[in-house]
Amino acid sequence: MPVAVVRPTEPRVHATPGSTWRGGWGALVITALARAALAMLASLLLWSVVPVAIGWHSTVVMSNSMAPQLQTGDIVASRPIAPQDVRIGQVLLADDPDHAGRLRMHRLVAVRPDGRLTLRGDANRTDDSTPISRSAVHGVASLRSPWIGKPVFLLRTHQGAALLPILGALLVLVSAAFVFRPEDEDDDVEGDRFAPSIALASAVPSHLDSPRATTPPGYAARHASAPAAPRRRGRLVLVGLSICAISAGVALPAQASSAFTAKTSNSPDTWSAADYFSCGSAVQAADPYLLYPLGEQSGNTATDASGGGRNGTYTPSRTGGTTGTTAGPCDSARATTLNGSSGYVSTPTKLTNPNNFTLEVWFKTSTTRGGALMGFSDTRTGDPTSYWDRVLYITNYGQLVFGVNPGRVTYVNSAQRVNDGAWHLATASLSTNGMRLYLDGDLVDSDSSTTAGRNYAGYFRVGENELQGFPAAPSSDFIGASLYDAAIYNSALTATQISDHYNAAS
């Protein structure tokens, strides 16, 4: 008996309006870019919050005083730092000395003799008016997440209306992240109704072993025309772009840490990254030709700490009050005290016509008879035979003078008196740029016209030199003073190096 088979009518697949476009490559790119942007924002937010869990400080930048390195709306994570570990050039997060309860994030540009810290914003032309103590420092800026704190900045500065465009852009990004929708995903949902096993509508004779399955016409062809490859490829692209975005977001804070390198943008001199906490280490970093710490408590040898082996000699013998020792200005080291009538230190090496050098020495004196701190004579000891030149000395009145005599005497001097019984750092240089005189790390006078001294061979001395013929020549060629870290360099030190040397005495 014939069996009547009822075939289900194949339903028409109605495409959702716009589904063809949403399944194309254009929608894929839009979705990928949107998700990448969201992933980057999420990673930036993560970098600004996670450090707090390990004890760091997370701060929203509220001014442009550190521009262009830091902009308003950036979030900066600062790691805790021990007071003794701060270094010149670091961007520090510290209590604002001028506004109670606030924080300030500026760069450390100097360490004062009393140990307090001088800060300055990179965009500011002058140092902060009030120095801070080391205990006021909360941390050193280490990670920067740009832009992510902009909403906080706008709210705190009462610019809530400016948040609307930001919220609108965020909404667009979220919407765009779901634009892409492959067409075959719709087909899969519809096709699930047409499984290959569809029961016959009529009764099946008992003598048949199994019902005969019927597949709707066009089913195989339709599904063959929508392969899964584009869908898989699209998903791979999305995943790849998202991973790249997350990686970029993670790397960004580390790259942005260049904003915290030790450089200020407001003066011709840039601050080096090193902040020295011993005078000796600061001097050693500048590669001295010779360095006499002058802390010996016995013997007649002034040890050369530069590594060059140019040991000096105390003259005369260290007896009868010619020399003694006292506390130096830094390093908890000892300094030599000269009696002002016969004691000095001579160097062992004869030099010919030095015209590119720096003389530097710490001194403390109350003398009213003046004397030479350092000078260049044609003999190693005793009175010079014919020539003396390149002298750094103190007048009876107490002014610091650096004089050079290439045929006519030229000099530079300080207006400040230095015979006040306090420690001072004197630094004098001669080079093709002329004469420079620094007192306590600051340039006090210069003369660009004199670039060379008298042409002869001689020796440098510390604590004595012939001064006849130089302006306001003091009553004594010998200095009655305590001296520490007498150094000679075979180049003109930069203003930054000299300032570092002075700042090390804290």
Side-chain angles (χ1 to χ4, degrees), residues 317-329:
S317 176
R318 297 187 65 182
T319 59
T322 300
T323 60
T325 60
T326 186

Side-chain angles (χ1 to χ4, degrees), residues 98-259:
D98 301 319
H99 302 89
R102 295 186 186 179
L103 296 175
R104 175 179 294 177
M105 183 174 289
H106 279 176
R107 196 179 301 280
L108 174 61
V109 296
V111 180
R112 298 165 63 94
D114 61 4
R116 291 184 298 167
L117 311 177
T118 298
L119 306 182
R120 181 195 300 177
D122 288 358
N124 296 339
R125 312 193 73 164
T126 59
D127 297 341
D128 295 353
S129 58
T130 307
I132 64 172
S133 65
R134 294 178 187 268
S135 60
V137 176
H138 292 275
V140 56
S142 302
L143 293 174
R144 166 179 169 254
S145 297
W147 327 302
I148 201 70
K150 203 69 173 181
V152 175
F153 168 77
L154 293 174
L155 288 175
R156 288 185 182 176
T157 55
H158 309 291
Q159 302 179 62
L163 279 174
L164 296 178
I166 296 177
L167 294 176
L170 184 61
L171 182 61
V172 169
L173 276 179
V174 172
S175 301
F178 298 97
V179 165
F180 178 68
R181 183 177 180 185
E183 291 181 359
D184 59 318
E185 289 183 357
D186 292 337
D187 290 343
D188 285 344
V189 174
E190 299 259 337
D192 286 342
R193 293 186 238 158
F194 300 97
S197 56
I198 298 180
L200 298 179
S202 61
V204 179
S206 58
H207 67 272
L208 295 180
D209 293 333
S210 61
R212 181 179 179 181
T214 306
T215 302
Y219 174 84
R222 186 173 73 251
H223 282 268
S225 66
R231 178 176 58 188
R232 289 195 298 269
R233 185 165 58 249
R235 287 172 179 170
L236 287 174
V237 171
L238 283 174
V239 171
L241 287 176
S242 297
I243 291 175
C244 290
I246 294 173
S247 300
V250 168
L252 188 55
Q255 295 170 351
S257 64
S258 62

Side-chain angles (χ1 to χ4, degrees), residues 189-487:
V189 174
E190 299 259 337
D192 286 342
R193 293 186 238 158
F194 300 97
S197 56
I198 298 180
L200 298 179
S202 61
V204 179
S206 58
H207 67 272
L208 295 180
D209 293 333
S210 61
R212 181 179 179 181
T214 306
T215 302
Y219 174 84
R222 186 173 73 251
H223 282 268
S225 66
R231 178 176 58 188
R232 289 195 298 269
R233 185 165 58 249
R235 287 172 179 170
L236 287 174
V237 171
L238 283 174
V239 171
L241 287 176
S242 297
I243 291 175
C244 290
I246 294 173
S247 300
V250 168
L252 188 55
Q255 295 170 351
S257 64
S258 62
F260 309 128
T261 54
K263 183 177 180 180
T264 59
S265 57
N266 306 297
S267 85
D269 301 313
T270 56
W271 294 90
S272 67
D275 174 19
Y276 306 98
F277 288 91
S278 72
C279 296
S281 64
V283 172
Q284 292 284 11
D287 191 21
Y289 171 76
L290 62 81
L291 167 62
Y292 296 155
L294 302 176
E296 294 83 5
Q297 299 188 46
S298 62
N300 297 323
T301 299
T303 302
D304 178 15
S306 72
R310 303 178 182 91
N311 293 341
T313 303
Y314 289 98
T315 303
S317 176
R318 297 187 65 182
T319 59
T322 300
T323 60
T325 60
T326 186
C330 60
D331 300 355
S332 300
R334 306 295 292 177
T336 287
T337 300
L338 302 178
N339 63 8
S341 60
S342 58
Y344 66 99
V345 178
S346 59
T347 62
T349 307
K350 194 171 189 177
L351 302 173
T352 301
N353 196 30
N355 287 320
N356 189 24
F357 65 87
T358 300
L359 307 178
E360 187 171 62
V361 63
W362 284 93
F363 68 92
K364 180 175 70 171
T365 184
S366 301
T367 183
T368 57
R369 301 181 66 245
L373 293 171
M374 303 180 78
F376 189 64
S377 292
D378 62 2
T379 58
R380 190 172 69 85
T381 60
D383 294 334
T385 302
S386 303
Y387 303 114
W388 54 94
D389 193 11
R390 303 163 175 88
V391 289
L392 178 62
Y393 63 97
I394 297 174
T395 68
N396 291 348
Y397 179 71
Q399 286 181 291
L400 183 66
V401 181
F402 176 45
V404 176
N405 182 13
R408 62 177 182 84
V409 174
T410 57
Y411 67 95
V412 287
N413 65 277
S414 70
Q416 176 184 341
R417 296 176 62 176
V418 295
N419 57 348
D420 54 2
W423 280 106
H424 295 284
L425 178 64
T427 311
S429 66
L430 179 68
S431 69
T432 54
N433 292 324
M435 302 169 63
R436 300 284 188 271
L437 179 64
Y438 296 81
L439 177 61
D440 294 339
D442 295 324
L443 180 66
V444 294
D445 200 5
S446 63
D447 177 4
S448 299
S449 65
T450 302
T451 59
R454 188 180 291 273
N455 189 357
Y456 66 95
Y459 303 82
F460 278 105
R461 303 183 185 188
V462 179
E464 184 273 340
N465 204 80
E466 178 66 59
L467 296 172
Q468 182 180 352
F470 285 92
S475 303
S476 173
D477 294 335
F478 298 87
I479 187 73
S482 296
L483 304 181
Y484 176 80
D485 264 11

